[in-house]
Amino acid sequence: GDSVTQMEGPVTLSEEAFLTINCTYTATGYPSLFWYVQYPGEGLQLLLKATKADDKGSNKGFEATYRKETTSFHLEKGSVQVSDSAVYFCALSEAKFYFGTGTSLTVIP
Amino acid sequence: EAGVAQSPRYKIIEKRQSVAFWCNPISGHATLYWYQQILGQGPKLLIQFQNNGVVDDSQLPKDRFSAERLKGVDSTLKIQPAKLEDSAVYLCASSLDRTSVGIQYFGAGTRLSVL
């Protein structure tokens, strides 16, 4: 069945460091891929999405490219800020949604 | 635009008791989802409604969990009787439609502790 695997955390980075959170997926067809973010005390919210192979989703300095050949959708940001501290969830949608286990990111000044 | 509203925010009950959670989706959103998020795990879909009909309840433990969405607007999720392993955050989400590219909007969740 469909599934999402993302790198385990927690991840701790210094401000302005480069961020990569790995995400790979298994799907029978051609899913849409998402990154959701959950800030402390808040609900999940969509960060970015990509609906087909080679699409790049981007928002708030974050990027992720839909790689069909490697079944991956890695999240990247060139320079993280303290305000990026949150839990990040990779997800896919193919008839229904499947979420990864989440990766906690803490950015220290 | 008002977001997805959930209540209560927190609930503590003893095992074998009953509990109910309420969700009011974003106005005009046809699709409503209930997820269970156990600590350290990603959200797991329990049930999905399209208007007031059930689209998917394959992962809902139907012997103890029930959900309804009367009139295709707000929804209630019930657990009766609760077990220790039901301790989790219950998330409600809504989207305009059920297509694969539909974006979901989440409520803040209800944190349930079963003692």
Side-chain angles (χ1 to χ4, degrees):
Chain A
D2 293 5
S3 66
V4 175
T5 302
Q6 62 182 104
M7 67 182 279
E8 294 186 13
V11 174
T12 302
L13 294 173
S14 296
E15 207 165 21
E16 299 183 3
F18 184 85
L19 168 72
T20 300
I21 300 178
N22 290 337
C23 172
T24 58
Y25 67 91
T26 302
T28 53
Y30 303 95
S32 296
L33 301 174
F34 305 82
W35 277 100
Y36 278 80
V37 60
Q38 187 170 30
Y39 298 104
E42 298 183 17
L44 277 82
Q45 55 186 273
L46 179 68
L47 180 60
L48 53 85
K49 68 179 176 76
T51 58
K52 61 183 187 298
D54 299 326
D55 267 3
K56 178 186 282 188
S58 61
N59 186 26
K60 299 182 180 179
F62 291 89
E63 294 183 337
T65 301
Y66 190 142
R67 302 284 188 200
K68 185 169 179 289
E69 62 276 14
T70 55
T71 61
S72 65
F73 193 56
H74 304 322
L75 182 68
E76 296 182 337
K77 187 174 185 181
S79 176
V80 293
Q81 305 300 312
V82 172
S83 57
D84 294 327
S85 298
V87 181
Y88 293 82
F89 293 90
C90 186
L92 72 80
S93 176
E94 188 178 40
K96 65 171 134 179
F97 265 73
Y98 297 88
F99 283 88
T101 54
T103 302
S104 174
L105 170 66
T106 301
V107 180
I108 55 177
Chain B
E1 164 180 272
V4 176
Q6 289 189 248
S7 67
R9 286 298 308 275
Y10 306 93
K11 191 73 177 178
I12 301 173
I13 62 172
E14 295 188 349
K15 60 183 179 183
R16 292 188 288 275
Q17 286 188 321
S18 302
V19 65
F21 313 126
W22 173 82
C23 172
N24 190 24
I26 293 174
S27 177
H29 281 195
T31 310
L32 184 146
Y33 313 78
W34 281 104
Y35 289 88
Q36 179 192 58
Q37 186 177 12
I38 293 173
L39 186 65
Q41 299 181 20
K44 181 183 82 170
L45 180 68
L46 293 176
I47 188 166
Q48 178 181 341
F49 292 93
Q50 179 71 13
N51 296 309
N52 61 348
V54 175
V55 172
D56 184 350
D57 63 357
S58 57
Q59 298 194 94
L60 186 74
K62 299 181 187 62
D63 57 333
R64 297 185 299 107
F65 285 64
S66 64
E68 59 182 11
R69 190 184 184 197
L70 300 176
K71 301 181 182 178
V73 183
D74 55 354
S75 176
T76 303
L77 176 69
K78 296 179 181 177
I79 307 175
Q80 180 179 14
K83 293 185 175 181
L84 296 177
E85 59 260 35
D86 298 332
S87 295
V89 176
Y90 290 85
L91 299 169
C92 179
S94 69
S95 64
L96 270 175
D97 55 49
R98 57 182 284 194
T99 64
S100 63
V101 296
I103 298 167
Q104 297 188 34
Y105 296 84
F106 284 81
T110 296
R111 183 178 298 276
L112 173 67
S113 297
V114 181
L115 306 178

